[in-house]
Amino acid sequence: MTSQQDSALHSDAANPSRREQILRAAAQLFAERGSRAVGVDDVGAAVGVTGPAIYRHFASKDAMLAEMLLRISERLLAGGTERIAAAGDSPGAQLRALVDFHVDFALDNPALITVQDRDLGALSDPDARRVRQLQRSYVEEWVAVLARVHPDAPTAACRARAHAVFGLINSTPHSAGRLARPAMAALLADMAVAAATA
């Protein structure tokens, strides 16, 4: 994985703080091995500090996992909302803006996609509830747009369609790298729009 990946954890991707560097290293290790198989010492070694130095930034490995999943959920919701607003009144333009945003997010954050998929269940109940609340809000942004694209479709069908599109786009940990990034982004976006409008 390159240092430019998983930038959703950074407020400034070009100059990540030590805390953000720790989160990115933890995300990569969690994606490779699963959060339960990674120790604090492993994360410390990945960023060039001792394991105990990690505790100046995070109370525990579980706190790292919670922060990374909360950050990406907040980033998805804020980004999706902004893209819809910037797209104007056309439902088709709003859908394309959401698709492009999610494709870029998935291609730029492969470790986070894997960690979210595999380790969400490892969060404490309060953290899991907050992540799921943010994710539901993000899904509902998609549902509202899809309901405008398909005005006769029931809400449940729009929600199912949104989740199906996420599954296609979030396949990037398996599909990315097979094509150059611009070609992969275009392919995923065209497929996602076709699926969403079928």
Side-chain angles (χ1 to χ4, degrees):
M1 294 180 196
T2 70
S3 61
Q4 295 169 334
Q5 289 182 324
D6 304 301
S7 58
L9 296 172
H10 305 155
S11 53
D12 177 1
N15 189 27
S17 68
R18 173 62 82 183
R19 184 180 184 89
E20 292 167 339
Q21 291 170 8
I22 291 167
L23 280 178
R24 182 170 60 193
Q28 292 173 348
L29 290 169
F30 292 175
E32 291 166 8
R33 305 182 206 167
S35 64
R36 292 296 170 226
V38 175
V40 171
D41 288 338
D42 299 321
V43 178
V47 292
V49 301
T50 62
I54 298 288
Y55 292 114
R56 286 199 292 271
H57 300 278
F58 295 96
S60 66
K61 181 178 67 173
D62 290 342
M64 286 182 233
L65 177 63
E67 183 163 333
M68 76 177 64
L69 294 183
L70 282 165
R71 277 194 188 201
I72 64 168
S73 299
E74 290 165 351
R75 180 95 21 121
L76 281 169
L77 178 57
T81 303
E82 289 168 10
R83 292 293 183 96
I84 293 168
D89 295 332
S90 163
Q94 292 173 350
L95 176 63
R96 185 64 195 219
L98 274 176
V99 165
D100 289 344
F101 166 69
H102 199 100
V103 165
D104 284 341
F105 184 92
L107 287 172
D108 290 343
N109 298 282
L112 292 171
I113 296 291
T114 299
V115 172
Q116 155 68 32
D117 187 49
R118 188 175 54 212
D119 292 321
L120 177 60
L123 290 178
S124 69
D125 287 343
D127 289 331
R129 276 195 299 275
R130 179 68 182 135
V131 168
R132 288 190 178 101
Q133 177 187 29
L134 290 163
Q135 291 176 349
R136 278 193 299 272
S137 295
Y138 180 60
V139 170
E140 292 310 306
E141 294 289 337
W142 278 77
V143 170
V145 170
L146 288 166
R148 291 191 287 276
V149 172
H150 302 280
D152 297 327
T155 301
C158 291
R159 193 169 289 113
R161 192 182 292 264
H163 284 288
V165 171
F166 295 155
L168 188 158
I169 297 172
N170 289 346
S171 69
T172 52
H174 310 289
S175 60
R178 299 181 188 278
L179 297 173
R181 191 194 186 287
M184 191 69 204
L187 177 66
L188 279 172
D190 289 347
M191 291 176 66
V193 168
T197 56

